[in-house]
Amino acid sequence: MNDAFHPLRSNVLRPRSSLRTVIGHYGIVTIGYDTALREQIRAHLAGHERRTVTDPTKRHAAVAVVIVDSEVGEDRVDSAPVDDWIAGRPMDAGLDGRMVDVSGGAAFLLCRRASRLRAHAAQWALPGGRLDPGETAVDAALRELDEEVGVTLSGDHVLGLLDDYPTRSGYVITPVVLWGGGRLDPQPAPDEVVAVYRVGLHQLRREDSPRFITIPESPRPVVQIPLGNDLIHAPTGAVLLQLRWLCLEGRHDPVDGLEQPVFAWQ
């Protein structure tokens, strides 16, 4: 396990950065989308000694962590049969796989992958994909963001990079954090993405998050990030956990030692 990662130790409360919170409609407390947040994220990323993974047996991919503005109550409903997608997948009591009641204030874009995809169909994901020849991680993240959700940004929107995450399916993922500059207007490519959600950053700081479980197939802890009525697992869950720990709270804990659930190993 890298850098002596220990999930129980990572749950110890530590001082949090000062974020502007906003009480919106329905009394929901969100994180303000403003210059102070942007500069805090930029500073935390710049002061972080990024962990990189060099593994010639794995392909390099990148994901876009796009920080946008959102409004409470603008959650949308999947335009596809969620019940069919979760058939046979272990679900905790009270969960139905839907992303509801998550928007408001500073947020990130989260995608529901199309069910017709050959790999990781219908799973939650950040916009992204493998690097094309000659591309950098930033190049790939910006290209995939445009191709998958119809959002065009440039290198000027990059705030920094999170740690590399090696996946069980043969990739090393580099997360690129981008400042969207507003709410944006995602237009998902139907062949790849069914729906795009604006998920408030405050949702990453729920009292029941993160969760760690054990599985017989691995000695490493499996991370679960509760969002809406579902649980987000690694690799996306690991990236979102570091988004919280590093960008919001200034914590430098590693996440590359966190395990994926067995259903995501292929």
Side-chain angles (χ1 to χ4, degrees), residues 5-12 14 16 44-45 48 51 63 65 67 108 110 126 162-163 165 175 177 199-201 203-213 221-227 231-259:
F5 175 85
H6 192 288
L8 295 180
R9 225 173 14 246
S10 294
N11 279 333
V12 174
R14 304 184 185 184
R16 291 182 175 179
H44 285 173
L45 289 168
H48 178 64
R51 299 171 181 87
V63 294
V65 184
I67 310 301
F108 60 92
L110 183 66
L126 299 163
L162 295 171
D163 292 348
Y165 182 88
V177 183
V199 181
L201 292 176
Q203 296 289 336
L204 298 178
R205 304 175 81 173
R206 284 171 43 167
E207 291 184 359
D208 60 347
S209 181
R211 297 172 23 158
F212 299 98
I213 63 171
V222 173
V223 62
Q224 299 176 330
I225 304 297
L227 289 179
L231 300 172
I232 312 301
H233 298 86
T236 301
V239 173
L240 294 180
L241 181 55
Q242 190 171 47
L243 176 64
R244 169 190 168 171
W245 278 350
L246 177 58
C247 296
L248 300 185
E249 300 176 4
R251 294 172 52 172
H252 298 270
D253 304 62
V255 296
D256 56 342
L258 296 174
E259 183 61 276

Side-chain angles (χ1 to χ4, degrees), residues 90-113:
M91 297 289 292
D92 285 16
L95 300 180
D96 62 12
R98 300 180 187 276
M99 194 59 54
V100 294
D101 300 327
V102 294
S103 61
F108 60 92
L109 297 182
L110 183 66
C111 300
R112 170 84 82 176
R113 289 169 59 85

